[in-house]
Amino acid sequence: MHDSRETIINHAFVAGYPIRHSRSPLIHGHWLKTFGLPGSYRAIEVAPAEFPGFLQGLAAGERGLVGGNVTIPHKETAFALAERPDDIARELGAANTLWREEGRLHATNTDGHGFVANLDERAPGWDRATSAVVLGAGGASRAVIQAIRDRGIRDIRVVNRTVARARELADRFGAAVSAHPVAALPELLHGAGFFVNTTSLGMDGDAAPVLDFRDMAPDAVVTDIVYVPLMTPFLQQAQSQGLRTADGLGMLLHQAAPGFERWFGRRPVIDETLRALIVDDMTRHA
Ligand code: ATR
């Protein structure tokens, strides 16, 4: 008898410019293999001028694409052009995860989810902090601020080289967020329960300023969104000063999970096998 059921093969992507350094294909490829799914996830380089047309094609279901991730420099445009951005993307003004539903393009931003899910896993209780210091005021900082505010931290001290950018974030997020110059760091760290670096300081062996974390609350957690190297200068300093730390790799892994579930219908697991796979790739392409 003829079996009329067709195997549905979904295809997803990560679009950026440039895109060759993205580890997302490795992450999603691992999950597709683990579940034995026939779909695909691949990196597509899309220049800014071509991005609106690329999104139109996605909304129309071209090439079997059901959705994907977008990264630098497309996150703001993806938000602006998606028909159905959710509340998270709307507040941030940026999206990193897209999917097609009934011919419409939906968008969210999973960076904040990835950030807190990693902390829940590697530094449980981190959200007992009543005050937090956030170094940096760029796009990554925005997602981090939103996520920790949504977990109940109501005193978020944003420190940035360019104070005006920190002030913009304080204006965007309201009373829970205050803006400060870098010189104020020692006094801001005093008694704080949480510190995160959202700048590129310390990335790829670059220098980072020396900070004294010993004045923070006794159960304070220090984390970094930089994950190359895994042990960043800030984490090294905090660890040697006896603080609890969480590295940034888990944020990358966790931010990928909601998209995979939307496109392929299975909830992926972030485990040591996946972490080891990415660490190995980082070692080989250092
Ligand atoms: P992203 O979207 O990755 O957050 P971004 O919007 O370019 O990137 O923001 C980069 C952040 O790192 C900013 O807070 C930036 O500080 P400025 O706003 O003053 O530029 C910070 N940053 C980058 N290089 C830095 C450096 N050498 N010293 C201090 N801060 C730095």
Side-chain angles (χ1 to χ4, degrees):
M1 210 172 79
H2 176 69
D3 186 347
S4 62
R5 282 174 303 178
E6 277 179 55
T7 309
I8 296 168
I9 303 180
N10 289 343
H11 299 285
F13 62 87
V14 56
Y17 192 76
I19 195 60
R20 63 185 173 281
H21 296 303
S22 174
R23 292 197 166 87
S24 294
L26 202 54
I27 298 169
H28 291 277
H30 170 76
W31 287 331
L32 285 168
K33 204 164 108 194
T34 307
F35 287 118
L37 292 169
S40 74
Y41 180 102
R42 62 194 181 93
I44 306 178
E45 187 163 84
V46 184
E50 290 157 15
F51 190 63
F54 176 79
L55 288 188
Q56 270 173 8
L58 172 62
E62 282 172 14
R63 296 194 265 175
L65 293 174
V66 292
N69 290 123
V70 299
T71 185
I72 295 166
H74 299 317
K75 290 184 180 185
E76 279 82 9
T77 316
F79 157 72
L81 298 182
E83 268 189 275
R84 295 274 191 275
D86 71 0
D87 289 347
I88 294 172
R90 220 174 276 135
E91 189 181 34
L92 293 176
N96 74 342
T97 302
L98 304 171
W99 67 99
R100 195 163 44 80
E101 222 174 278
E102 291 163 1
R104 292 183 203 283
L105 201 54
H106 291 244
T108 188
N109 195 311
T110 64
D111 286 335
H113 159 79
F115 182 72
V116 297
N118 179 46
L119 291 168
D120 286 342
E121 187 189 305
R122 301 187 86 83
W126 67 274
D127 55 347
R128 283 196 296 267
T130 52
S131 57
V133 177
V134 176
L135 181 59
S141 172
R142 258 189 276 167
V144 162
I145 291 168
Q146 183 190 53
I148 65 176
R149 179 209 58 195
D150 288 352
R151 284 294 287 266
I153 300 183
R154 289 284 174 266
D155 173 5
I156 302 172
R157 305 156 182 182
V158 181
V159 178
N160 199 42
R161 177 177 61 182
T162 313
V163 188
R165 287 189 87 191
R167 265 194 220 109
E168 277 170 32
L169 294 188
D171 292 344
R172 174 183 285 262
F173 288 105
V177 177
S178 55
H180 309 269
V182 175
L185 260 176
E187 97 194 52
L188 295 169
L189 284 170
H190 180 79
F194 186 76
F195 172 88
V196 54
N197 171 45
T198 72
T199 73
S200 52
L201 287 166
M203 193 188 285
D204 292 327
D206 287 353
V210 174
L211 295 181
D212 191 345
F213 298 108
R214 288 170 299 187
D215 222 12
M216 292 182 76
D219 56 348
V221 170
V222 171
T223 187
D224 201 325
I225 69 161
V226 170
Y227 59 89
V228 182
L230 270 183
M231 181 56 80
T232 67
F234 288 123
L235 294 180
Q236 216 158 24
Q237 291 168 34
Q239 230 172 55
S240 70
Q241 292 167 16
L243 282 99
R244 268 208 304 164
T245 60
D247 70 51
L249 178 57
M251 178 181 178
L252 173 75
L253 307 179
H254 282 279
Q255 63 78 31
F260 187 91
E261 192 173 356
R262 286 227 176 258
W263 312 315
F264 301 113
R266 305 289 288 269
R267 179 177 290 247
V269 179
I270 288 101
D271 58 11
E272 280 308 313
T273 313
L274 176 62
R275 212 178 139 84
L277 186 76
I278 306 301
V279 170
D280 179 59
D281 184 68
M282 281 161 47
T283 314
R284 278 185 292 116
H285 298 105

